[in-house]
Amino acid sequence: MILGIETSCDETGVALIADGRRIVANQVASQIPVHAPFGGVVPEIASRQHIKTLAPLVRRVLSDAGDVSVTAIAATHGPGLMGSLLVGVNFAKALAFAWNVPYVPVHHLEGHIFSAFIGDNAPAFPFLTLLVSGGHTCLIACDEPHKYRILGTTRDDAVGECFDKVARLLELPYPGGPSIQRAAVPGNPRAYAFPRPMCDSDTLDFSYSGLKTAVLYALRDTFGDKPVPAPQVADLAASFQEAAVDILLIKTRHALAATGLTTLVVAGGVAANKRLRDRLQEDIDVPVFMPPMALCVDNGAMIAAAAHSRLEHGVAHDVRPAASASLPLA
Ligand code: KG4
Ligand code: ZN
């Protein structure tokens, strides 16, 4: 019975997981309303908000769970916002010390990978992971538990970050991913021919800043300083989303072919995107494992699930005691 704590960015997530895959209690306190007026996450506000939210949320999860005995406490120790990470790490360490149970530090991306293990239908190793979030866009060969090879990563913006920036250009509310998905529904995905950068090359790296700039130029060239009418916002959102998703699919197919891996995991906040989920079902011919929508964005359950596996495989001891804003996965 593992308590998982996630405070790397703008969600305070706390969950209790049994046997590595069964959710006993799960609470996420989103800071979206606090950061929305600024159009993005303000680090100092985020860490102060985690301090306010974390202890009441842990109490709430323990009371939701009823009479349980916690056997380990896990927290994200990186990468992420340093102040925010320190809140979760120090809380978890203190509680683990007080309760005399192990503290298990977990890499944020490993947490996202293990979100696909929650529930009845877990993938078997080896598999390829497409990890798409606000801070990361990577293809990872997951050869065996806790052994990762990064095959490709973004050279500039992450795909979620690109959704967020394009939403700002279109004057859609933060966070951009869900706003663009909503705005795109009545739009024509072929209205604008946006580029698919780096898709003709052999590299498995990504580049998303050119796509964002292409949306900016299309806006300027067509509308200048005038407000963009709603039907054109829908067309721009749909065409952008199609390009963003296309790039992910092209690179994922390349990675499957290059590695010979025959199972795909897709995780991270952008994995909640409906168009991406539909296209994966249509265009990828290996079994695809995705967490349920609610576990795509940051949460404590995925951190507890990863910690369970670390304890099971005897790799729960980490000599790096503190949080790290730029912790490498592999
Ligand atoms: O994994 P996550 O919660 O935090 C990070 O680790 O970054 O991902 C947040 C990102 C944001 O950029 C958000 O805009 C994006 O995930 N996102 C989406 C959707 N829901 C969240 N992007 C596209 N479509 C969505 N439905
Ligand atoms: Zn995340």
Side-chain angles (χ1 to χ4, degrees):
M1 183 72 65
I2 301 184
L3 184 73
I5 294 176
E6 157 60 44
T7 64
S8 68
C9 189
D10 62 341
E11 334 272 353
T12 317
V14 180
L16 265 170
I17 291 270
D19 310 322
R21 57 182 51 170
R22 192 169 55 80
I23 293 185
V24 177
N26 182 30
Q27 295 286 339
V28 177
S30 171
Q31 301 183 2
I32 287 172
V34 186
H35 299 288
F38 304 95
V41 180
V42 183
E44 182 61 24
I45 296 178
S47 46
R48 284 165 193 253
Q49 200 65 26
H50 286 305
I51 290 174
K52 275 194 211 152
T53 317
L54 185 52
L57 212 60
V58 169
R59 263 192 225 108
R60 168 91 190 270
V61 160
L62 292 172
S63 112
D64 287 354
D67 190 17
V68 295
S69 158
V70 174
T71 50
I73 301 176
T76 307
H77 69 141
L81 302 172
M82 195 57 182
S84 294
L85 288 167
L86 283 171
V87 177
V89 165
N90 287 312
F91 189 98
K93 281 186 179 176
L95 198 56
F97 179 70
W99 287 354
N100 197 24
V101 295
Y103 157 68
V104 184
V106 171
H107 191 286
H108 185 72
L109 298 190
E110 182 169 78
H112 276 302
I113 294 169
F114 275 86
S115 65
F117 285 71
I118 298 169
D120 295 329
N121 193 18
F125 287 88
F127 54 83
L128 176 74
T129 296
L130 171 67
L131 210 152
V132 280
S133 73
H136 294 87
T137 310
C138 357
L139 284 158
I140 306 166
C142 303
D143 296 320
E144 51 185 281
H146 314 294
K147 289 264 188 304
Y148 307 106
R149 277 181 299 131
I150 309 281
L151 305 174
T153 187
T154 182
R155 297 199 180 163
D156 38 60
D157 292 349
V159 57
E161 183 182 3
C162 189
F163 269 90
D164 295 333
K165 287 178 174 172
V166 168
R168 276 178 90 156
L169 293 175
L170 298 177
E171 297 187 11
L172 297 169
Y174 165 86
S179 301
I180 288 197
Q181 179 177 310
R182 227 174 296 120
V185 172
N188 172 7
R190 277 175 292 277
Y192 294 84
F194 289 133
R196 274 74 170 151
M198 289 179 67
C199 284
D200 294 331
S201 64
D202 283 342
T203 170
L204 293 174
D205 282 349
F206 300 84
S207 167
Y208 271 97
S209 74
L211 176 56
K212 166 198 67 194
T213 311
V215 177
L216 174 68
Y217 288 164
L219 267 173
R220 270 204 208 141
D221 295 348
T222 321
F223 304 101
D225 291 336
K226 293 195 215 72
V228 186
Q232 277 74 38
V233 171
D235 283 350
L236 284 159
S239 302
F240 159 74
Q241 179 174 252
E242 202 62 21
V245 167
D246 249 357
I247 297 166
L248 297 177
L249 280 149
I250 292 166
K251 292 285 177 185
T252 301
R253 280 197 299 261
H254 282 177
L256 286 168
T259 56
L261 291 167
T262 53
T263 304
L264 178 67
V265 165
V266 184
V270 182
N273 185 270
K274 171 113 192 1
R275 186 68 187 136
L276 174 60
R277 293 174 89 94
D278 290 348
R279 288 284 307 278
L280 285 163
Q281 297 300 345
E282 290 162 16
D283 296 349
I284 296 288
D285 51 13
V286 302
V288 182
F289 292 79
M290 278 177 279
M293 302 280 230
L295 296 180
C296 287
V297 287
D298 294 347
N299 62 84
M302 66 187 199
I303 303 304
H308 173 90
S309 176
R310 285 203 160 259
L311 287 164
E312 194 177 51
H313 292 95
V315 286
H317 298 290
D318 193 311
V319 286
R320 290 165 296 187
S324 162
S326 55
L327 189 67
L329 176 68

